[in-house]
Amino acid sequence: MKKIPGIAFRLFFIFVIGAWGAGTNHYERLRTLADWKKIADYVQALPEEEVWELINQVRDDQGIWQAYPSGVLLALYYGENWEHRTPTLEKVLKIIQDNHLEPALRGAVAASGFEISRTWEIADKLRYFDSVVSLLNDNDIPAAERARIAEYSFRSFKRCLNELHPMSDADGMKSVLLNTLHDRAQVMMKALASIIEKHPEEQTEGAMAKTLENYVRTYEGNDFLKSPQLQKAVDEAARSQAVLRRFQQE
């Protein structure tokens, strides 16, 4: 989350105050605060669960959830790059699986989870892939957020590869983790290829196709250690490449 000048904070908070619908106790309290330090202190003092309830209520006059003003408030609590109170894997999973929350919010957090995961143990990073892949086919999640989930998944995939590369495999753990990563890549490629086959007019030139191409290229002429998991990923990459070529020619 980029640094936002003080004047921008003020303008966006004015927007948020005018946009929220029926207020909660937190909303009513925030309306009385004109000083930004007091606003920040109040938000930062909230229990984490109540912060997310607050964020879920940030809507415009038509009742549509607003991402950027929500990001302003989240920055007050978690830091501009989630550095102050970085959410754990369990916290992110709880948010994206909570159907009480706005679908656009859940989708945005699901994508951001791949960035937040930079601070997690690699096993948790790999586990996270399993938790978000189903959202790619969840039509309640806006298409832009689903495309972002796919894009950010590949970023995380590449970071995991870079993290594993220098590891010693004396105890076999490197091979286990690398094979787990191959499994996750295979599942992501299969999901993305399926979406492109079902909706070629929307996806072949879009972000989903670009992300699939990135996964496929990783497994073209690779020098990974041979394993059954690698072979499945290579085979899936070949099938995905065929899907991309078929629809690009139509």
Side-chain angles (χ1 to χ4, degrees):
M1 199 174 293
K2 294 182 179 180
K3 186 175 179 60
I4 305 171
I7 189 169
F9 270 105
R10 292 184 182 89
L11 290 174
F12 274 102
F13 197 76
I14 289 170
F15 168 81
V16 171
I17 289 298
W20 284 343
T24 64
N25 290 337
H26 296 308
Y27 162 66
E28 294 298 333
R29 173 59 177 152
L30 286 174
R31 290 178 64 185
T32 70
L33 302 177
D35 179 83
W36 267 98
K37 185 179 186 306
K38 292 179 180 178
I39 292 170
D41 289 345
Y42 184 83
V43 172
Q44 291 165 5
L46 288 175
E48 194 170 21
E49 296 297 332
E50 294 180 41
V51 170
W52 288 101
E53 287 294 331
L54 180 63
I55 298 306
N56 194 47
Q57 297 169 12
V58 182
R59 301 172 186 274
D60 62 17
D61 292 336
Q62 289 73 46
I64 299 173
W65 181 76
Q66 296 293 292
Y68 195 69
S70 295
V72 171
L73 294 178
L74 285 174
L76 291 176
Y77 189 80
Y78 288 103
E80 293 170 3
N81 294 297
W82 307 92
E83 72 273 19
H84 293 160
R85 311 186 194 194
T86 306
T88 63
L89 169 65
E90 288 70 24
K91 169 54 61 177
V92 175
L93 294 182
K94 186 174 182 179
I95 292 166
I96 67 176
Q97 294 167 0
D98 186 352
N99 291 326
H100 164 70
L101 297 178
E102 173 67 31
L105 171 58
R106 292 171 53 228
V109 174
S112 295
F114 284 111
E115 298 300 306
I116 296 169
S117 71
R118 291 169 183 264
T119 65
W120 300 344
E121 296 293 330
I122 191 166
D124 284 345
K125 296 176 184 179
L126 297 177
R127 178 184 163 198
Y128 188 66
F129 280 82
D130 292 336
S131 303
V132 300
V133 68
S134 63
L135 297 182
L136 294 174
N137 287 298
D138 187 340
N139 290 329
D140 288 336
I141 306 295
E145 299 302 342
R146 283 182 277 143
R148 196 169 291 112
I149 291 169
E151 177 188 354
Y152 286 16
S153 79
F154 182 74
R155 293 184 188 179
S156 180
F157 170 74
K158 291 294 288 185
R159 287 196 298 268
C160 287
L161 280 179
N162 291 336
E163 187 174 340
L164 288 171
H165 180 71
M167 284 180 60
S168 168
D169 199 28
D171 59 359
M173 184 54 63
K174 177 178 179 178
S175 295
V176 170
L177 293 172
L178 188 57
N179 286 330
T180 301
L181 187 57
H182 292 323
D183 281 340
R184 300 310 183 267
Q186 185 252 332
V187 169
M188 291 298 296
M189 285 188 285
K190 185 175 182 178
L192 291 170
S194 175
I195 291 170
I196 292 170
E197 284 188 302
K198 291 176 182 176
H199 307 286
E201 70 287 352
E202 299 175 8
Q203 303 297 344
T204 51
E205 299 301 327
M208 293 269 192
K210 179 62 176 176
T211 298
L212 182 57
E213 288 174 359
N214 288 336
Y215 273 110
V216 168
R217 278 198 291 268
T218 302
Y219 287 99
E220 291 179 340
N222 70 82
D223 58 355
F224 296 117
L225 293 175
K226 303 301 181 184
S227 70
Q229 293 85 355
L230 171 62
Q231 191 58 52
K232 288 181 181 179
V234 169
D235 291 345
E236 192 62 56
R239 285 191 289 270
S240 296
Q241 182 65 278
V243 169
L244 289 168
R245 287 175 177 168
R246 182 164 63 253
F247 286 106
Q248 286 168 352
Q249 294 171 354
E250 292 182 357

